[in-house]
Amino acid sequence: PPLPPKGIFDFRFSSDRLVETLNSESKEIKISSADYPVELKIVGTDIKISDILGGKIINVLLKDGESITINNSVIEALRIEGKSVPTEFALYQNYPNPFNSLTTISYALPVETKVVAEIYDVLGSKVITIFDGIQKPGTYKIEWNADNNPSGIYFCTLTTKNFIKTRKLILMK
């Protein structure tokens, strides 16, 4: 629809549509001629909302049913991203595999947990810990640069409180 007259509240995507499909890319929402405060309620999905000013004023993850109140009239646009939370733990096969020096290891976490990702050689000796820390629910990627390691078979093990999984990696130089 066309833009309303000045002074009338309007909330639409930057494409001038009132409805958009959220995938993995971010979308921009324009707020124009709004009286503040403005309340935004999320229904049916989880989204990350940040202000267009680089996320310096607003930068939050809202879950289905939650709302946010925008009091700052400087905010005329918001960036939103759909956030799908994994339903189960997973360690995916590295890519590429076989690889020459650099590979990407991906995994999914359905809950916030301590995560340890380690690489072992074929004899079971630990080569490197590529991540050790607490992470929120989501899907993550880690790159492993094996420049200093000889060609061969390696194993990546992902360990959390409730999950342990190992995948075989093949380094070919």
Side-chain angles (χ1 to χ4, degrees):
L3 291 173
K6 195 153 185 79
I8 303 293
F9 175 74
D10 189 48
F11 195 86
R12 65 179 66 213
F13 287 92
S14 59
S15 64
D16 283 333
R17 294 185 186 124
L18 297 177
V19 177
E20 287 274 358
T21 301
L22 282 179
N23 329 42
S24 58
E25 79 268 2
S26 64
K27 303 277 184 174
E28 186 177 318
I29 294 178
K30 298 184 291 187
I31 306 171
S32 57
S33 304
D35 289 328
Y36 287 86
V38 173
E39 184 176 3
L40 177 62
K41 184 173 182 176
I42 307 307
V43 179
T45 189
D46 297 347
I47 64 170
K48 180 181 178 192
I49 299 178
S50 57
D51 60 81
I52 222 68
L53 305 169
K56 295 180 181 172
I57 301 171
I58 298 173
N59 195 354
V60 295
L61 175 65
L62 293 178
K63 297 184 183 279
D64 183 18
E66 293 180 339
S67 62
I68 185 171
T69 302
I70 301 168
N71 294 309
N72 193 334
S73 62
V74 172
I75 299 172
E76 294 180 342
L78 298 171
R79 178 170 288 118
I80 64 171
E81 306 175 30
K83 290 288 181 187
S84 60
V85 177
T87 57
E88 57 187 32
F89 289 97
L91 173 61
Y92 303 109
Q93 188 62 55
N94 64 305
Y95 181 81
N97 192 37
F99 66 102
N100 179 2
S101 298
L102 189 64
T103 191
T104 301
I105 299 160
S106 302
Y107 56 94
L109 307 172
V111 296
E112 182 172 325
T113 188
K114 180 175 174 28
V115 177
V116 179
E118 298 171 314
I119 305 293
Y120 293 89
D121 64 19
V122 75
L123 299 174
S125 300
K126 183 166 51 169
V127 173
I128 188 171
T129 299
I130 55 175
F131 185 83
D132 184 352
I134 296 175
Q135 290 184 310
K136 296 183 184 272
T139 303
Y140 295 90
K141 293 181 180 184
I142 300 174
E143 286 190 344
W144 178 42
N145 187 335
D147 263 344
N148 299 326
N149 299 91
S151 294
I153 296 175
Y154 292 86
F155 298 93
C156 177
T157 299
L158 184 76
T159 307
T160 72
K161 181 180 176 184
N162 300 317
F163 177 80
I164 187 166
K165 181 80 173 182
T166 302
R167 295 278 183 181
K168 181 168 66 171
L169 295 70
I170 302 171
L171 173 60
M172 293 177 63
K173 291 186 176 183

